[in-house]
């Protein structure tokens, strides 16, 4: 079974047992980002239904957030705030969705509910589900009244009632958290923060609740900021945007809408690290509000200011970072932030791209070594990030960056008649074919005539000839046609029945509670929010209201033809870029990358089940302990495409995670892109056999000390610590030996250790499964193990450990309590050169590469490798002639017969020996597949 690798815990925290299958807490180590957490991966469902994943790399974590669509079709922005102590230790994380900000700021919802560290610690203790929260409904309500209130909160069950306090302890099932949150938040929206800040409108919870907090973990009343004995000065920050599209922000009409609150943090002075929230905020004009101010009371010192807002441009939501990295307060201070001066963070690539998804990160260190940052997560269609230029910082460090996943535009459109006009057509947000949420996409290249079909009703379509044409429609929100801002399947299916080749949607809603409302792009289908509806199988895209009106103007003058080009598959190329601006927010935020700055990796996702999978990308600057992961979701295995990684940077450690759904093994890699050029990436190519991954030495050179020792990325395999031998391993592919699958623990009954011909008794670790207690004197051992259809036998010598020397990049299984060392086992791995379906053709001649290797430096040289194959499931074997090519690598050529004369697979039997007498014998039945010639 696979289990995560180990993490470390703070020495001042009491050790507690971790559940089986988790990593192990280690005393005496401080280089850790989230104290007490030991698992490799945590998948956390927030009370809002949004998901946050933590994936450990050494003492650091990649944070990936997945906003969940709300019932009204909106997707929140999720801000993850990171705080660290001196040296980057003891980080704390809070993941706050934008539609919870007003409720948290006002105190109706306790911020601890969004404490990712606390939520992960629940998983650590085995408290996977459900989430325990306490809701207060009033004072001294009887049990019947409390039951009635709780009945309005779907997805929650009552654990305990406290009538004397008017509270109920609830258990919220993660699978129904979205519905629970929809009822709990009532009518509050992201714009509710502006109502609270500027209109003094206190947000109210739904269901009659007045407050919610984690059961048994309510925050104390907020204490005053550090009293430095110095005078307090008033800091006034004025934010303005005169050139914006007014839109509804709560009950206000605004050109810039704050969705996360305002805060100042002292970066140098007598209260370094102290945070100060705004004491007041107000709009300075109205209808719309184009200028507002926030005021603070702080002691003298050097500060940074934070905040997050949105504005709209051409029907699309824009994410505005209000970060001001540094300013000094020596008296009352007024700062004016001009959002019209904001610049968009963009990137140019050698090939045409659109943004699939992106995450923004800011990270600031203070004068005393502490620091913090904000990771902002959005969904497809909303990954447009802006920032206001600033002066350079003089204290600590600062960087602003974006992690991008870009690919070939899924659809492009341009008017070709009567004149050429480029259109910014967008597809629905769930572009990655989430199972059950599929939307037909345009495929191939076509020139289509455009017709205007109004609301797409029968009467509208009867007035035009839609056959083979592109039909322009507005959103019909009159039920049961569609949603307020979603295209209804009835509209699409009527267009399909009329013979239309596709639909172009103008995001103007007609009908519903807000007729003629302008909706945000991209336009989503209503069946995503009403599962009883049938999905329409006609492709559609949406354009902005301005573009739609321009098209109607062209139609009034004559025929309009549109060139449409698209594809209905995985993008043939993907850019995974990590772009940073150091020391300040510069006046220009566009970055152009060239092929000379990029690694061009031929990327294959191996597998045979065609199940969805995710690739997640992240990167660590030298001073970061938690960073944003960017997912490329709902890929399928058995696909191949080109990945462009970069830009090259010698001190940036890049991480990639392959996460298939359905229980198949995933993998991850940690590397440095310090030089451009070609590369290959093969995710989980078979066969996967016991071994250890080859960690890149470039990582250790890139950030010395950060990815070794206490910050190591993996647990030591087949390691002896004191007198305890830990037969841990990894599943390793010879096609990609640097990929780690997470530590693998053999089932105890499949593991046997012998000395002098006698089997030794097993001991046991709650974390690492079977272990063995060995005598101090050096002895010869034979270890046999089975995992699946693979059987392996090792002979090796083990004796007392004189000093602590785990392989570089690996941690001792039980921390630093006693020295450990990897025993000199000899391993094998195989690269069969299979296709993405893990197959080779039959009949045919093929080559296989087998590598014999150790995980310890200075191990005895490999002396011999023998290799045999079987095409009848191991009934008969054919020995191959093996040629050594250096470095433990060997190759062999072999012939397979017709597919009908085989069992459809190739099995492997191998044996290797080194100069020290250590041996490995391994049989892998059905190691890879055979397929007939095409």
């Amino acid at each position: 079974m696979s289990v995560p690798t180990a993490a470390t815990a703070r020495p001042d925290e009491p050790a507690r047992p971790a559940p089986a299958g988790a990593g192990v807490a280690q005393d005496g180590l401080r280089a850790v980002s989230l104290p007490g957490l030991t698992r490799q991966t945590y998948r956390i469902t927030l009370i809002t239904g949004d998901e946050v994943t933590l994936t450990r790399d050494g003492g650091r974590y990649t944070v990936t957030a997945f906003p969940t669509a709300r019932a009204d079709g909106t997707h929140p922005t999720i801000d993850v705030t990171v705080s660290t102590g001196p040296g980057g230790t003891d980080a704390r994380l809070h993941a706050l969705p934008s539609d919870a900000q007003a409720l948290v700021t006002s105190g109706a919802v306790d911020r601890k509910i969004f404490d990712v560290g606390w939520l992960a610690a629940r998983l650590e203790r085995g408290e996977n589900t459900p989430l325990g929260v306490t809701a207060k409904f009033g004072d001294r309500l009887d049990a019947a009244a409390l039951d009635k209130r709780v009945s309005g909160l779907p997805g929650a069950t009552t654990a305990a009632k406290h009538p004397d306090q008017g509270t109920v302890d609830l258990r919220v099932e993660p699978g129904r958290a979205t519905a629970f949150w929809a009822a709990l938040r009532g009518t509050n929206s992201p714009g509710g923060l502006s109502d609270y800040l500027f209109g003094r409108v206190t947000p109210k919870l739904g269901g009659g609740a007045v407050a919610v907090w984690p059961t048994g973990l309510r925050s104390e009343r907020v204490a005053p900021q550090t009293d430095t004995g110095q005078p307090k000065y008033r800091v006034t920050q004025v934010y303005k945007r005169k050139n914006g599209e007014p839109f509804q922000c709560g009950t206000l009409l605004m050109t810039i809408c704050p969705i996360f609150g305002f805060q100042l943090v002292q970066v140098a002075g007598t209260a370094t690290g102290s945070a100060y929230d705004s004491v007041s905020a107000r709009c300075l004009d109205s209808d719309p509000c184009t200028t507002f101010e926030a005021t603070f009371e702080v002691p003298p010192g050097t500060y940074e200011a934070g905040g997050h807002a949105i504005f709209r441009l051409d029907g699309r939501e824009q994410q505005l970072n209000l970060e001001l990295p540094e300013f000094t307060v020596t008296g009352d201070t007024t700062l004016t932030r001009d959002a019209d001066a904001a610049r968009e963070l963009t990137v140019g690539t050698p090939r045409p791209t659109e943004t699939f998804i992106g995450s923004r990160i800011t990270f600031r260190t203070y004068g005393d070594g502490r620091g913090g940052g904000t990771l902002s997560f959005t969904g497809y269609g909303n990954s447009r990030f802006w920032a206001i230029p600033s002066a350079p910082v003089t204290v600590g460090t600062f960087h602003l960056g974006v992690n991008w996943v870009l690919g070939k535009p899924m659809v492009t459109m341009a008017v070709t008649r009567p004149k050429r006009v480029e259109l910014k057509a967008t597809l629905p947000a769930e572009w990655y074919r989430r199972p059950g949420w599929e939307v037909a996409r345009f495929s191939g290249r076509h020139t289509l005539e455009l017709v205007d079909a109004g609301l797409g009703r029968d009467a509208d379509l009867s007035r035009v000839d839609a056959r083979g044409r592109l039909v322009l429609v507005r959103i019909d929100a009159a039920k049961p046609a569609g949603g307020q801002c979603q295209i209804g399947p009835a509209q699409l299916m009527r267009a399909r029945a009329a013979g239309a080749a596709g639909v172009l949607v103008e995001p103007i809603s007609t009908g519903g509670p807000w007729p003629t409302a302008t909706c945000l792009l991209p336009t989503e289908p209503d069946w995503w929010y009403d599962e009883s509806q049938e999905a329409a199988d006609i492709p559609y895209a949406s354009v902005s209201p301005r573009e739609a009106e321009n098209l109607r103007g062209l139609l009034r003058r004559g025929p309009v033809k549109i060139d449409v080009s698209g594809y209905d598959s995985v993008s043939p190329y993907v850019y995974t870029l990590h772009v940073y601006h150091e020391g300040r927010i510069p006046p220009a935020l566009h970055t152009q990358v060239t092929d000379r700055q990029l690694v061009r990796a031929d990327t294959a996702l191996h597998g045979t089940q065609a199940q969805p999978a995710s690739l997640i990308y992240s990167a660590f600057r030298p001073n970061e302990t938690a960073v944003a992961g960017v997912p490329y979701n709902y890929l399928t295995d058995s696909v191949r495409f080109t990945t462009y990684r970069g830009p090259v940077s010698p001190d940036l450690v890049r991480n990639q995670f392959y996460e298939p759904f359905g229980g198949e093994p995933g993998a991850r890699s940690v590397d440095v892109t310090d030089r451009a050029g070609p590369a290959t990436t093969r995710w989980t190519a078979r066969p996967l056999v016991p071994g250890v991954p080859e960690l890149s030495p470039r990582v250790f050179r890139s950030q010395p000390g950060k990815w070794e020792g206490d910050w190591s990325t993996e647990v030591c395999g087949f390691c002896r610590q004191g007198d305890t031998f830990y037969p841990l391993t990894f599943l390793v592919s010879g096609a990609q030996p640097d990929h780690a699958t997470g530590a693998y623990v053999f089932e105890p009954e499949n593991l046997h250790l012998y000395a002098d011909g006698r089997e030794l008794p097993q001991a046991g670790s709650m974390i690492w499964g079977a272990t063995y207690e060995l005598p101090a004197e050096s002895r010869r051992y034979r270890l046999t193990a089975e995992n699946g259809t693979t059987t392996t036998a090792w002979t090796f010598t083990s004796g007392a450990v004189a000093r602590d020397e785990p392989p570089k990049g690996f941690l001792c299984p039980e921390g630093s309590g006693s020295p450990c060392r990897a025993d000199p086992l000899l391993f094998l791995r195989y690269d069969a050169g299979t296709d993405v379906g893990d197959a080779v053709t039959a009949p045919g001649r093929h080559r296989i590469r087998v590598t014999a290797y150790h995980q310890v430096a200075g191990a005895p040289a490999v002396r011999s490798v023998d290799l045999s194959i079987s095409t009848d499931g191991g009934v008969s074997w054919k020995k191959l002639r093996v040629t050594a090519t250096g470095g433990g690598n060997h190759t062999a050529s072999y012939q397979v017969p017709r597919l009908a004369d085989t069992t459809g697979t190739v099995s492997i039997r191998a044996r290797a020996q080194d100069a020290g007498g250590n041996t490995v014998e391994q049989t892998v039945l059905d190691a890879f597949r055979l397929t007939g010639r095409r």
Side-chain angles (χ1 to χ4, degrees):
M1 59 180 178
S2 291
V3 299
T5 54
T8 54
R10 286 171 50 178
D12 55 351
E13 290 192 341
R16 59 172 181 267
V24 58
Q26 304 178 56
D27 295 332
L29 302 176
R30 292 200 55 86
V32 63
S33 56
L34 291 174
L37 299 188
T38 66
R39 300 188 184 188
Q40 179 62 43
T41 301
Y42 298 84
R43 290 181 175 86
I44 298 162
T45 300
L46 301 177
I47 195 175
T48 56
D50 305 299
E51 296 182 1
V52 178
T53 298
L54 302 180
T55 306
R56 184 180 180 276
D57 281 296
R60 308 172 177 206
Y61 279 90
T62 290
V63 185
T64 309
F66 304 90
T68 299
R70 303 305 192 242
D72 60 2
T74 61
H75 291 73
T77 298
I78 299 179
D79 263 22
V80 177
T81 56
V82 183
S83 62
T84 65
T89 61
D90 306 343
R92 288 173 174 80
L93 303 178
H94 286 81
L96 189 57
S98 52
D99 63 347
Q101 176 69 54
L103 293 165
V104 169
T105 303
S106 68
V109 174
D110 195 313
R111 184 180 296 271
K112 284 185 179 292
I113 281 182
F114 300 99
D115 185 332
V116 177
W118 171 70
L119 292 168
R122 292 182 68 254
L123 298 179
E124 185 81 16
R125 297 190 296 270
E127 301 172 17
N128 295 336
T129 58
L131 176 62
V133 298
T134 297
K136 183 175 180 63
F137 293 97
D139 294 323
R140 298 185 180 279
L141 296 177
D142 60 32
L146 290 175
D147 287 339
K148 184 176 181 180
R149 301 288 177 87
V150 172
S151 67
L153 298 174
T157 57
T158 299
K161 287 178 281 192
H162 311 281
D164 57 327
Q165 302 172 21
T167 63
V168 180
D169 296 339
L170 301 173
R171 297 294 180 266
V172 181
E173 290 296 332
R176 301 198 65 197
T178 301
F180 174 81
W181 178 248
L184 182 67
R185 75 166 182 164
T187 58
N188 294 295
S189 66
L193 180 63
S194 67
D195 296 340
Y196 176 69
L197 293 174
F198 306 131
R200 299 292 183 261
V201 178
T202 301
K204 295 182 179 180
L205 292 167
V210 295
V212 177
W213 59 87
T215 299
L217 195 69
R218 192 173 190 180
S219 297
E220 297 179 2
R221 196 177 288 272
V222 177
Q225 299 295 334
T226 302
D227 184 2
T228 64
Q230 296 175 295
K232 294 287 184 68
Y233 296 116
R234 178 166 287 260
V235 174
T236 302
Q237 285 203 314
V238 178
Y239 306 84
K240 64 179 182 178
R241 182 171 177 83
K242 300 290 187 179
N243 300 323
E245 298 176 7
F247 63 101
Q248 206 71 31
C249 177
T251 60
L252 301 176
L253 195 64
M254 306 185 74
T255 57
I256 174 175
C257 174
I259 58 173
F260 292 97
F262 310 109
Q263 191 176 76
L264 305 184
V265 177
Q266 191 176 96
V267 299
T270 56
T272 298
S274 293
Y276 300 85
D277 293 321
S278 59
V279 296
S280 66
R282 61 176 181 143
C283 271
L284 302 183
D285 54 7
S286 60
D287 298 323
C289 172
T290 66
T291 308
F292 59 85
E293 69 175 22
T295 58
F296 308 81
E297 292 181 355
V298 301
T302 302
Y303 291 84
E304 70 163 332
H308 189 110
I310 58 174
F311 64 93
R312 293 189 181 179
L313 187 63
D314 200 21
R316 295 168 172 85
E317 189 170 276
Q318 316 291 319
Q319 310 290 324
L320 176 60
N321 178 28
L322 297 176
E323 184 92 12
L324 180 59
E326 185 172 303
F327 65 95
T328 301
V329 175
T330 57
D332 290 345
T333 304
T334 297
L335 302 166
T336 299
R337 314 297 312 285
D338 184 2
D340 287 323
R343 297 291 180 265
E344 186 176 6
L345 286 91
T346 57
V347 61
T349 56
R351 292 151 200 85
T353 57
E354 70 169 318
T355 299
F356 287 171
I357 198 165
S359 61
R360 176 190 58 81
I361 180 170
T362 61
F363 204 87
R364 184 76 164 92
T365 61
Y366 313 148
D368 63 356
R370 284 183 285 177
T374 303
L375 322 174
S376 289
F377 297 88
T378 62
Y380 172 74
N382 293 325
S383 297
R384 287 175 292 274
F385 304 103
W386 297 68
I388 303 171
S390 73
V393 300
T394 61
V395 175
T397 64
F398 168 80
H399 62 253
L400 166 68
V402 179
N403 297 339
W404 298 106
V405 176
L406 309 104
K408 181 180 178 180
M410 288 174 287
V411 64
T412 58
M413 294 189 181
V415 176
T416 58
R417 180 181 176 186
K419 62 180 180 179
R420 186 166 185 86
V421 179
E422 299 292 337
L423 300 176
K424 294 181 180 179
T426 58
L427 294 176
E430 297 285 347
W431 53 270
Y432 36 61
R433 286 201 168 282
R434 176 175 172 181
W437 286 36
E438 289 89 349
V439 176
R441 281 166 40 180
F442 293 94
S443 183
R445 184 170 184 176
H446 310 275
T447 298
L448 303 175
E449 187 170 340
L450 181 70
V451 294
D452 185 359
L455 293 175
R457 296 175 179 175
D458 288 331
D460 298 317
L461 287 162
S462 67
R463 292 193 292 267
V464 298
D465 182 2
R467 290 174 299 177
R469 290 172 169 80
L470 190 62
V471 175
L472 177 64
V473 300
R474 285 183 171 146
I475 296 173
D476 186 357
K479 287 295 183 182
Q484 178 65 39
C485 280
Q486 290 92 50
I487 183 72
Q491 288 180 276
L492 297 174
M493 288 189 287
R494 282 194 294 265
R496 182 181 182 277
V503 174
L504 204 55
V505 179
E506 177 186 8
I508 298 293
S509 182
T510 57
W514 299 286
T516 67
T518 300
C519 304
L520 285 173
L521 295 172
T523 305
E524 296 180 347
D526 197 36
W527 65 82
W528 285 357
Y529 307 97
D530 184 349
E531 295 180 358
S532 66
Q533 299 185 58
E534 179 184 355
D537 60 350
I538 182 173
Y540 82 90
S542 47
V543 292
S544 70
R546 178 184 58 80
E547 290 174 310
E549 184 55 40
N550 187 35
L551 290 173
R552 287 198 174 88
L554 294 174
L555 282 169
R556 286 192 287 269
R557 295 195 290 272
V560 174
K561 291 190 176 182
I562 297 180
D563 182 75
V564 180
S565 182
Y567 61 95
D568 194 12
S569 60
V570 173
S571 176
Y573 54 85
V574 174
Y575 286 85
T576 63
L577 307 178
H578 307 283
V579 178
Y580 301 90
H581 302 277
E582 301 283 352
R584 64 180 298 190
I585 302 175
L589 291 173
H590 176 76
T591 302
Q592 185 70 40
V593 297
T594 68
D595 284 335
R596 291 190 175 187
Q597 298 172 282
L598 304 171
V599 169
R600 183 185 187 277
D602 179 19
T603 304
L605 278 59
H606 284 249
T608 59
Q609 301 183 33
Q611 60 184 357
S614 294
L615 283 172
I616 299 174
Y617 310 94
S618 66
F620 285 90
R621 304 297 303 162
N623 61 338
E624 291 175 328
T625 55
V627 297
V630 190
Y632 187 20
N633 281 337
Y634 296 101
L635 300 163
T636 58
D637 57 18
S638 301
V639 299
R640 189 189 299 270
F641 54 91
T642 300
T643 301
Y644 295 94
R645 286 199 308 266
V648 296
S649 175
D651 67 347
L652 186 67
V653 174
R654 299 170 189 266
N655 307 53
Q656 296 182 77
F657 306 93
Y658 170 65
E659 295 187 352
F661 296 84
E664 288 293 303
R668 65 193 186 98
S669 68
V670 183
D671 205 349
V672 177
T673 304
D674 56 1
R675 53 182 177 268
T680 59
T681 304
R682 302 287 182 267
W683 292 103
T684 62
R686 270 56 170 185
L688 295 167
V689 298
V692 290
E694 286 186 353
L695 304 184
S696 171
R698 292 185 293 178
V699 171
F700 309 127
R701 294 195 299 266
S702 171
Q703 296 180 6
K706 295 293 187 179
W707 297 89
E708 52 191 292
D710 296 344
W711 293 81
S712 298
T713 63
E714 308 296 346
V715 66
C716 179
F718 298 97
C719 209
R720 176 164 174 163
Q721 187 162 14
D723 291 333
T724 305
F725 174 65
Y726 293 85
L728 303 173
T729 187
F730 298 81
L731 298 182
V732 178
S733 168
Q736 205 72 56
D738 60 325
H739 286 185
T741 57
Y744 182 91
V745 175
F746 294 103
E747 297 291 348
E749 62 270 21
N750 294 332
L751 195 69
H752 305 276
L753 184 66
Y754 303 88
D756 300 324
R758 292 183 300 174
E759 183 170 359
L760 304 182
Q762 287 182 351
S765 163
M766 184 173 60
I767 307 301
W768 302 121
T771 62
Y772 293 92
E773 297 301 313
L774 304 181
E777 64 269 16
S778 181
R779 297 181 67 180
R780 196 80 176 155
Y781 296 94
R782 177 178 173 84
L783 176 69
T784 65
E786 295 182 16
N787 64 299
T789 57
T790 300
T791 59
T792 312
W794 294 271
T795 61
F796 63 99
T797 301
S798 182
V801 181
R803 60 180 182 273
D804 195 33
E805 49 182 355
K808 195 169 187 177
F810 290 83
L811 282 166
C812 297
E814 298 294 344
S816 58
S818 59
C820 82
R821 167 198 73 213
D823 275 334
L825 279 78
L826 184 59
F827 301 102
L828 297 167
R829 60 175 182 254
Y830 313 92
D831 182 1
T834 61
D835 62 16
V836 291
D838 289 320
V840 298
T841 55
R845 177 160 290 278
H846 303 281
R847 297 185 70 81
I848 184 171
R849 184 178 68 184
V850 56
T851 301
Y853 65 101
H854 303 82
Q855 65 170 322
V856 293
V862 175
R863 282 287 177 85
S864 65
V865 170
D866 297 320
L867 181 65
S868 300
I869 67 161
S870 170
T871 57
D872 57 10
V875 175
S876 61
W877 295 89
K878 181 179 180 180
K879 187 173 182 179
L880 305 182
R881 181 179 178 182
V882 176
T883 301
T885 58
N889 295 305
H890 300 73
T891 63
S893 175
Y894 65 96
Q895 177 75 36
V896 294
R898 295 181 311 152
L899 185 61
D901 297 331
T902 74
T903 56
T905 62
V906 176
S907 300
I908 298 171
R909 176 182 288 172
R911 185 184 189 278
Q913 181 172 350
D914 66 19
N918 303 304
T919 66
V920 58
E921 301 170 23
Q922 191 165 69
T923 300
V924 188
L925 297 178
D926 304 327
F928 51 95
R929 299 168 52 245
L930 291 170
T931 184
R933 285 192 176 276
R934 295 178 179 85

